[in-house]
Amino acid sequence: MSKLVSFAGIQGGYNIVSKAEGRYKMALESFDASTKVGFPNTAYYLPVIYSLLGHKVETLEDMQKPLEVARRLLPPHIKGANHLPYLGPLLDAGMAALFAFEIDEALRYLEDPDFYYVSEETDPENGKVWLGAAEDTIFRKRGVEFVDGSAPGFAAIVGAAPDPEIAKKIIEEYQKRSIYVFLAANQNGTSCAEQLIEAGVEIGWNTKIVPFGPDISSAIFALGFANRVAMAFGGVPAGDYKKILMYNKDRVFAFVNALGDVNAEWAAAAAGCVNWGFPTIADTDIPEILPTGICTYEHVIGNISHDDIVDKSVETRGLKVTISEIDIPCSFGPAYEGERVRGKDLFCQMGGGKTQCTEYLEMADMNDIEDGKVTVDGPDIGDLSRGDVLPLGIFVKVAGREFQKDFEPILERQTHHLINYIQGVMHAGQRDIAWVRVSDAAVDKGFTLKDLGVVLHAKLHQDFQAILDKIEVVIYTKQEDVDALTAKARAAYKYRDERVDQMTDEDVDTFYSCTLCQSFAPNHVCSVSPERTGLCGAYNWMDCKAAYQINPTGPNQPIEKGEVLDAKLGEFKGVNDFIYKASRGAVTKYNFYSMVHDPMTTCGCCECIAAMLPMCNGVMTVNREFSNETPCGMKFTTLAGVMGGGASSPGFVGHSKYNITQRKFILGDGGLLRMVWMPKMLKEELRERIEKRAAEMGHPDLFDKIADETVGLTEEEIYPWLEEKGHPALTMEPLVG
């Protein structure tokens, strides 16, 4: 190991800690020691310090202790002669620097609260480029991707490329591999984030290109994100630094790309990242640390060309990434799913209220379709002018020896994701309310509507090869053909919906498990029945049944419900036996239809969380998208942090949006009639279903009696309004007694 890299890294550690100490001292002169500090909307305090040291930094005074730890970690300076260039002291200096970085960024939030833009998307036109620390709502939604494999890892890029086109090329190579990109720091006043904006690349959480901040200190947000993954999804307790760091080495495949000259502070940051098992790959000729040890392979590699830096980074981190080559002119991959096609970039569109746009997948006889055949029946992109609209019908015919009609909706829903994977093409909605927008850039590359069929054929074959033998796609763009397909599709939709809606838990002897989230909530076992959809909203009973048939060893396993132990609360002996085994003895029983008595366990992926409101003798629920306080005194993020790790928490329960209007929703506690508050956005989204279910329960006016944030955000505020409206919960038997 080079003496030079040790000298630079340790000197950088001293510089960074000294700067943070000075800034902290100045802050104490301007603010009271009891002043609240922290990153916005998170239950993880300052996550690197909290996860590794167990210290909850909540006030300015609380910063003193981690700063003292950082100072103690700094090793002696490298001597001019007889130096000992061991890796350990360098790693300590790097860790000290990272603790100081987190203090420095927390002080920035205190002193300049508007410096970062609290959003999932940037707003470059108004100068809002830097997003800062991820809020828990973003973290919960995105962090799970590093557990379930949809995001193989992340590249933390510091500095800037020589020019915007090189920056764009590097980022697009990562996007093809579905790798997140976290951006921080600048090089001579220019940052990679600003280069990408100049090159016309959309950045933000929605495109998996996340600009954290303009300084090297903002790289700490990437490490904080990784440590939150270990705590929330890996179940590692705060303060267990060995397990936190090992989880990241083994489970979060991240690395650093240093673009531009590496100074002492950058060297300290790189040394700090090595503690996580995250290597640094640079484009300049820097001193290297090549032996394996803390990292899977090399620790620091320099002088890598921009053409090779992506492949070298993936190789050095030990990532296993598969690139699916799809024969279309545009780039393709999950990284483009969140991409927007805005008005100024729009060439043409289909659906979205402008025209009819319908997608339908149907099982066909093996002899009636030709595998790989894609037909465009009607005008295509080349027949249009900029700004034109078209009706669109996407008809996918599939056949397979193992395919069943029940699988149709599962595969049909893939249309949304797969079309969104095409760079420059945006898809929204589903069924007969779909919306497709095509950008100028996609058309310039040669995109046609036939490419939609090429993508669907290739990806459905890849993802469902066990059940599919043939796939044929027809794209309709003539109005009469689209209308005919829409009529056919709507009849099928109606049949599917009625079949699920009419099913009851009493109709079946088998429920299904979903243990996908056990990787980050080890004790959680989600059980799905006809009248209780999965709490993430992604699975209903029919989906689980079909998924089990597609993949018998997957996360959706059959549960023989067995003897009914409590019909009102929804307790079943077979379910209890299954969850006891699946939770490794941590959970002995739970009830399907109650949030008061032994409710089902909850993980952090739930769409909504319900909580008791004792004063109102009712319950409230809040959806993930609602970021304000709620009448139970907690935001969604706080609720998820408190009871979202796989616990059964009486008085609280996670659930899906759809579940709210299912017949068995907390029926053991009084059902939907107990609902006294929910966010207005959620209430309006479910209006028709709430009104229908309320009418079935004898209260057709219940919708207008449910309070929302326009009424109040505390029980004291909403109670008089509920009395005035005559909400039925107020006259029901006590919720707890």
Side-chain angles (χ1 to χ4, degrees):
M1 188 179 76
S2 167
K3 170 186 173 181
L4 183 58
V5 72
S6 297
F7 174 82
I10 292 173
Q11 182 60 53
Y14 273 91
N15 295 345
I16 292 164
V17 172
S18 295
K19 287 180 182 178
E21 289 173 335
R23 188 170 187 178
Y24 177 63
K25 183 178 179 181
M26 293 178 63
L28 285 174
E29 295 174 357
S30 303
F31 300 92
D32 187 83
S34 62
T35 302
K36 295 288 186 182
V37 297
F39 298 157
N41 299 320
T42 178
Y44 295 92
Y45 310 98
L46 303 188
V48 170
I49 291 170
Y50 176 56
S51 60
L52 297 180
L53 301 180
H55 294 170
K56 298 179 180 180
V57 177
E58 299 179 84
T59 66
L60 201 56
E61 184 177 20
D62 293 337
M63 290 181 169
Q64 182 65 39
K65 187 176 291 186
L67 275 175
E68 291 173 355
V69 173
R71 174 59 65 176
R72 290 198 302 269
L73 279 171
L74 292 172
H77 286 282
I78 294 295
K79 297 178 181 179
N82 300 321
H83 67 279
L84 295 174
Y86 295 133
L87 188 56
L90 178 59
L91 298 185
D92 286 344
M95 188 64 80
L98 297 178
F99 288 152
F101 276 161
E102 197 162 48
I103 294 293
D104 193 58
E105 288 295 339
L107 290 172
R108 192 204 297 268
Y109 271 109
L110 175 65
E111 296 164 353
D112 189 0
D114 296 325
F115 184 86
Y116 292 117
Y117 186 46
V118 183
S119 173
E120 284 199 61
E121 300 183 37
T122 60
D123 186 9
E125 293 182 1
N126 294 311
K128 303 295 186 180
V129 174
W130 305 111
L131 301 181
E135 297 180 290
D136 279 354
T137 51
I138 297 173
F139 160 68
R140 288 280 179 179
K141 181 163 58 174
R142 304 289 178 171
V144 68
E145 297 179 32
F146 294 91
V147 179
D148 67 15
S150 53
F154 70 77
I157 296 182
V158 296
D163 60 62
E165 285 306 311
I166 291 177
K168 179 181 179 182
K169 181 180 177 182
I170 291 172
I171 298 308
E172 286 185 343
E173 287 299 313
Y174 282 128
Q175 285 187 300
K176 289 178 183 178
R177 294 160 171 81
S178 301
I179 294 172
Y180 270 79
V181 178
F182 294 158
L183 305 173
N186 67 87
Q187 187 68 221
N188 299 320
T190 300
S191 69
C192 188
E194 292 161 321
Q195 289 179 320
L196 293 174
I197 292 171
E198 183 180 342
V201 177
E202 186 177 347
I203 63 177
W205 282 101
N206 58 312
T207 58
K208 301 186 179 181
I209 309 169
V210 187
F212 278 139
D215 303 315
I216 187 62
S217 58
S218 58
I220 196 65
F221 297 138
L223 295 172
F225 186 93
N227 280 18
R228 287 153 79 184
V229 170
M231 288 187 289
F233 303 148
V236 183
D240 194 339
Y241 66 90
K242 289 183 180 179
K243 287 186 178 179
I244 290 283
L245 296 178
M246 286 303 297
Y247 182 94
N248 277 282
K249 178 185 178 182
D250 296 336
R251 300 290 298 277
V252 180
F253 292 91
F255 50 87
V256 180
N257 282 168
L259 303 182
D261 295 331
V262 176
N263 58 30
E265 293 192 2
W266 282 29
C273 290
V274 169
N275 287 285
W276 273 252
F278 299 168
T280 293
I281 298 88
D283 63 350
T284 56
D285 189 12
I286 63 171
E288 298 181 316
I289 306 176
L290 298 180
T292 59
I294 308 301
C295 295
T296 303
Y297 299 113
E298 296 88 355
H299 300 74
V300 178
I301 300 178
N303 206 27
I304 304 299
S305 72
H306 298 115
D307 289 337
D308 297 332
I309 197 167
V310 173
D311 286 338
K312 190 63 176 178
S313 298
V314 169
E315 172 199 337
T316 304
R317 185 59 182 95
L319 264 154
K320 305 300 181 186
V321 179
T322 300
I323 302 176
S324 300
E325 293 292 344
I326 308 295
D327 188 19
I328 60 173
C330 302
S331 295
F332 179 89
Y336 301 113
E337 186 176 8
E339 186 181 30
R340 306 287 192 271
V341 176
R342 306 187 190 280
K344 62 184 178 65
D345 305 315
L346 179 65
F347 179 82
C348 66
Q349 58 184 316
M350 290 71 73
K354 309 291 190 301
T355 65
Q356 180 61 46
C357 185
T358 300
E359 51 202 30
Y360 176 50
L361 183 143
E362 182 181 59
M363 180 180 177
D365 186 270
M366 193 82 73
N367 298 321
D368 292 341
I369 62 176
E370 179 182 338
D371 186 46
K373 183 178 180 181
V374 179
T375 305
V376 178
D377 191 347
D380 203 337
I381 299 292
D383 302 309
L384 305 180
S385 300
R386 194 176 191 275
D388 283 350
V389 297
L390 264 182
L392 182 67
I394 302 174
F395 183 29
V396 183
K397 294 179 281 187
V398 300
R401 291 176 180 83
E402 303 300 323
F403 193 83
Q404 300 177 28
K405 199 162 185 65
D406 287 349
F407 301 163
E408 287 180 347
I410 297 172
L411 271 66
E412 185 178 280
R413 282 201 295 272
Q414 307 305 308
T415 304
H416 169 72
H417 302 287
L418 299 181
I419 290 179
N420 265 324
Y421 288 176
I422 306 171
Q423 185 182 27
V425 179
M426 187 187 88
H427 181 284
Q430 62 174 341
R431 289 188 168 184
D432 59 342
I433 54 171
W435 186 15
V436 178
R437 291 165 69 92
V438 181
S439 69
D440 291 319
V443 175
D444 290 342
K445 290 183 177 181
F447 174 81
T448 69
L449 293 179
K450 183 177 181 179
D451 294 323
L452 299 179
V454 172
V455 165
L456 292 173
H457 170 261
K459 288 299 294 176
L460 288 175
H461 260 310
Q462 289 176 5
D463 296 343
F464 298 94
Q465 56 185 309
I467 59 173
L468 291 179
D469 296 318
K470 289 185 177 182
I471 304 166
E472 181 178 332
V473 183
V474 182
I475 308 293
Y476 296 111
T477 61
K478 292 185 289 189
Q479 188 66 56
E480 60 271 23
D481 294 333
V482 174
D483 289 343
L485 179 67
T486 301
K488 181 178 182 179
R490 284 174 177 167
Y493 304 153
K494 185 173 184 292
Y495 170 78
R496 294 173 189 170
D497 290 342
E498 287 179 348
R499 188 170 60 156
V500 174
D501 280 343
Q502 291 172 2
M503 290 183 67
T504 70
D505 287 358
E506 291 77 17
D507 289 337
V508 300
D509 296 322
T510 303
F511 296 160
Y512 287 91
S513 70
C514 183
T515 54
L516 180 64
C517 298
Q518 276 201 343
S519 53
F520 51 86
N523 299 336
H524 175 58
V525 184
C526 188
S527 297
V528 180
S529 72
E531 295 183 275
R532 196 188 195 284
T533 56
L535 53 83
C536 66
Y539 292 99
N540 62 34
W541 185 87
M542 295 292 294
D543 295 333
C544 289
K545 178 184 177 184
Y548 171 68
Q549 291 174 298
I550 293 172
N551 181 13
T553 61
N556 305 114
Q557 294 295 308
I559 305 173
E560 296 301 323
K561 67 180 185 182
E563 180 185 353
V564 179
L565 301 179
D566 192 317
K568 178 181 178 182
L569 299 180
E571 183 182 3
F572 307 92
K573 186 178 186 306
V575 174
N576 288 347
D577 293 343
F578 183 92
I579 62 175
Y580 179 79
K581 182 179 179 180
S583 69
R584 301 167 189 84
V587 182
T588 59
K589 65 175 184 175
Y590 57 49
N591 296 314
F592 274 59
Y593 315 140
S594 177
M595 61 178 286
V596 177
H597 306 284
D598 297 317
M600 190 176 290
T601 57
T602 297
C603 76
C605 295
C606 52
E607 285 190 308
C608 305
I609 298 177
M612 286 197 308
L613 297 180
M615 177 188 295
C616 302
N617 198 37
V619 304
M620 55 144 279
T621 192
V622 57
N623 54 312
R624 183 181 296 276
E625 296 85 353
F626 187 75
S627 60
N628 292 338
E629 296 285 348
T630 68
C632 74
M634 290 181 277
K635 298 180 181 180
F636 181 94
T637 53
T638 308
L639 285 165
V642 169
M643 46 79 68
S648 175
S649 306
F652 303 88
V653 73
H655 59 89
S656 69
K657 295 178 181 179
Y658 185 84
N659 184 224
I660 295 171
T661 55
Q662 289 185 288
R663 288 177 291 269
K664 293 293 201 308
F665 176 68
I666 61 168
L667 193 60
D669 307 321
L672 184 63
L673 299 183
R674 289 286 189 183
M675 188 65 66
V676 298
W677 188 94
M678 64 171 61
K680 187 174 182 179
M681 67 172 81
L682 178 62
K683 184 178 167 184
E684 288 297 333
E685 182 179 343
L686 299 176
R687 173 189 282 271
E688 290 185 11
R689 291 188 61 85
I690 290 174
E691 290 176 341
K692 179 181 178 181
R693 176 62 183 142
E696 291 174 356
M697 301 180 78
H699 290 267
D701 57 352
L702 178 67
F703 181 88
D704 296 324
K705 296 179 178 180
I706 299 174
D708 55 39
E709 67 272 21
T710 64
V711 177
L713 294 173
T714 67
E715 286 197 78
E716 290 77 10
E717 289 174 338
I718 68 172
Y719 184 82
W721 188 88
L722 296 172
E723 279 193 314
E724 177 187 331
K725 296 292 184 180
H727 194 290
L730 300 183
T731 58
M732 296 173 71
E733 64 180 1
L735 190 56
V736 181

